[in-house]
Amino acid sequence: MNKIKADSTLSDTQKIKMFCDLMKDHNVEPIVLRLSGYVKQKPMKIDYLLTFTPNRIIMLRKNIIRKLTDPGFVAGLGPYLYYLLSKKIEYSDIKKKDSFVLKDDSHPSDETSILYKNITKFAFYPDTKTLVSNMLGTAIKENVLIIHTNEKKYEFILPTGKNGDYDKTFYWLKMCLPVKISKK
């Protein structure tokens, strides 16, 4: 990985591709993006941690402790990719347990996985219902992520305060995921 990071002739896209190929060769499923979202269900909302790997999306329902301590990532970027693309972080700063998903058959009961090949539509757009205007300008507080599969539709609200603004999050989704992303 140090070789990939040090090669200044590579673009960010090339570094991401080389990283994914390297992890695949070593049979490791790295965390590419991690976003916090929730689903509105009456009478309350249910919080989820959305973990994107090169093969699938893992949706984990957050428990109360996770809700309070979840740090999130810069624009949702996973630790290894952040290391590769940033001059600010050192390899020793990466927490291994938060950097990859173990490939075993045991999954917690509150976890659901969606393989990218099973996704029929993937939409990501700013939620204009949360548009806030003040003297300093206009800001959208939440984004919407909708995932359609043959069996089900998943609709998540992604707070911008936790995940970064729409443009940053859209950029990383587009760069790192092997699905076409529509804006509605």
Side-chain angles (χ1 to χ4, degrees), residues 6-11 14-15:
D7 191 342
S8 60
T9 62
L10 296 174
S11 69
Q14 291 169 319
K15 287 181 181 182

Side-chain angles (χ1 to χ4, degrees), residues 9 29 39 57 67 71 88 91 123 146 159 161 179 184:
T9 62
E29 194 171 3
V39 175
I57 302 168
K67 284 183 201 180
K88 298 177 185 176
Y91 189 78
I146 301 174
V179 293
K184 269 240 177 167

